[in-house]
Amino acid sequence: MPACSVPPPFPAVGAYVADTSGGRTRLGRVSRHAGGRVHLTPPGGGAEWAASPEALREPTEGERASIHVLTTPVPPAMVLSADHELRPRPEPVPDCTLCAYLVRWFDLYMGTGPLHDESAAVDCVVEVRNHPHDPPKMRIEAP
């Protein structure tokens, strides 16, 4: 009498698993079961994919740490923004033309126009802080 093979159990919807199919490991959250396949989405969101239940395993401790990082939202207080006054306007060094330009560029970058770029605004703050600009780290043109 032939042995009866029992298919592996499906992981619960909402559980995180590691998909080892295709020669690589992908972490995913079980979103549904359909047609003998387990449908997964990446931690933190993204496109869904289907995997065979045989290719799934429990995540390792390191993989669970990655899942935690990818699924933990950043508290609004941690987001740097001019709206929260966490990025103060730099004070130019007196009689320094470069500092004056940097502060004007900071204002443009922190504004709401087409030049809005908070990363570039931080660069301006750092350059003013690194005074006496010898040699300057940024090439600044008049705005």
Side-chain angles (χ1 to χ4, degrees):
M1 184 171 210
C4 181
S5 68
V6 177
F10 285 90
V13 171
Y16 286 98
V17 296
D19 174 11
T20 59
S21 60
R24 63 184 180 131
T25 302
R26 292 176 70 185
L27 301 174
R29 183 174 187 187
V30 177
S31 56
R32 62 190 172 100
H33 308 123
R37 310 271 291 164
V38 178
H39 294 260
L40 307 164
T41 54
E48 183 180 76
W49 79 93
S52 168
E54 295 86 19
L56 303 178
R57 63 168 172 75
E58 287 287 321
T60 64
E61 187 175 319
E63 290 167 341
R64 285 202 181 278
S66 294
I67 291 167
H68 178 72
V69 168
L70 293 168
T71 59
T72 302
V74 176
M78 296 295 292
V79 177
L80 295 178
S81 173
D83 299 330
H84 299 287
E85 298 180 13
L86 296 175
R87 188 171 295 122
R89 187 172 186 268
E91 289 299 320
V93 174
D95 301 322
C96 179
T97 304
L98 183 56
C99 279
Y101 282 140
L102 285 163
V103 172
R104 288 175 60 194
W105 275 104
F106 174 87
D107 292 339
L108 288 170
Y109 290 139
M110 288 305 294
T112 57
L115 292 178
H116 180 80
D117 183 348
E118 291 191 32
S119 177
V122 170
D123 293 341
C124 292
V125 172
V126 169
E127 186 68 20
V128 170
R129 186 180 64 212
N130 288 341
H131 197 31
H133 318 295
D134 192 23
K137 316 239 179 340
M138 298 174 65
R139 201 174 77 216
I140 302 297
E141 301 168 10

